[in-house]
Amino acid sequence: MKMNRTVLVASVLLVIGLMKVMFFFAQNKYGFISVGGTSDADYYDAIAFGALLNPNPWGQFLKFLNNLGLYDRPNIAFAFALTNAVLVPWLFYKIIAIGKLGANSLVNLAGVVYVSVYPTVLYYTTDIYRDIPMIAIYLVGVWMAKVLMEREWGGGRSTEIALQVAALSVCVGVLYILRFYLAAAMVIALVACFMFDLSKNVLVPL
């Protein structure tokens, strides 16, 4: 009996997610990946505890959590590992499920697998690097943009639309603070979507 593609997708994502969690614990126990010297994570940790005075936005956010008694480096790192194991692949899958490459396409699954096992992203799940939150926020913004562009306007769903626009705006704002070029890339892409017909193989002005 041929396996349902939805079940296949869910099974593959589950296995990848479990492997990512296992990688997180293995890296933190054995440290088999090392970039040498002091990592950015140590730098952010020092800012969080007030050992360094620096206006770095991510470090200041961690310091804010520490002032509230909510900062715990291992737990935050584990939360990022779970984010990369579950949320990032799911968001990516929702974004690329378009047209003939629908939600059950094996082509989409291949794309998700590629993103899930990308080595640099895996490394950034092992500590309090800001890259995983930035990736997740960026994907949420892209997903909101996709939802807004695919919806049929009208029909009295103004509250739902307002919430989606607000979510997209928050994503752009947070990305602007953390990494300006990510916010710029999202804004430029949104403008381009309204200027060109991106369904063609070449850019055709609307």
Side-chain angles (χ1 to χ4, degrees):
M1 182 177 179
K2 187 176 181 179
M3 180 181 292
N4 182 282
R5 287 188 174 181
T6 302
V7 176
L8 176 61
V9 169
S11 301
V12 171
L13 294 182
L14 177 61
V15 171
I16 292 175
L18 292 174
M19 290 176 64
K20 286 182 177 181
V21 173
M22 292 171 62
F23 172 82
F24 170 81
F25 286 115
Q27 167 64 15
N28 279 273
K29 183 175 182 179
Y30 300 108
F32 46 80
I33 297 179
S34 176
V35 294
T38 303
S39 70
D40 287 348
D42 294 330
Y43 171 69
Y44 298 140
D45 188 63
I47 296 175
F49 284 107
L52 288 177
L53 298 178
N54 190 290
N56 179 278
W58 181 243
Q60 291 301 317
F61 173 71
L62 295 178
K63 184 177 182 180
F64 171 73
L65 292 180
N66 189 43
N67 291 338
L68 295 177
L70 300 176
Y71 177 74
D72 184 273
R73 183 172 177 175
N75 286 337
I76 292 177
F78 181 65
F80 290 169
L82 289 180
T83 298
N84 186 51
V86 179
L87 183 61
V88 168
W90 181 80
L91 287 171
F92 186 77
Y93 197 77
K94 295 288 288 185
I95 291 167
I96 64 176
I98 300 175
K100 293 181 180 180
L101 300 180
N104 295 327
S105 173
L106 294 180
V107 176
N108 290 340
L109 178 59
V112 172
V113 171
Y114 176 79
V115 170
S116 297
V117 299
Y118 196 75
T120 304
V121 177
L122 280 178
Y123 173 74
Y124 285 131
T125 64
T126 61
D127 216 322
I128 54 173
Y129 300 102
R130 59 183 172 178
D131 300 77
I132 299 303
M134 288 192 303
I135 292 173
I137 293 169
Y138 185 86
L139 291 177
V140 170
V142 174
W143 181 38
M144 285 296 99
K146 177 191 174 185
V147 170
L148 287 169
M149 290 180 180
E150 290 183 343
R151 75 161 38 255
E152 294 183 4
W153 293 86
R157 293 188 174 182
S158 56
T159 301
E160 181 180 331
I161 294 174
L163 290 174
Q164 291 168 349
V165 172
L168 176 58
S169 301
V170 169
C171 289
V172 173
V174 173
L175 290 174
Y176 178 82
I177 295 173
L178 294 176
R179 286 288 191 189
F180 167 77
Y181 61 80
L182 288 178
M186 184 174 291
V187 172
I188 292 172
L190 287 172
V191 173
C193 286
F194 288 102
M195 293 178 61
F196 300 97
D197 183 359
L198 301 180
S199 65
K200 309 293 184 181
N201 291 329
V202 295
L203 294 181
V204 180
L206 294 175

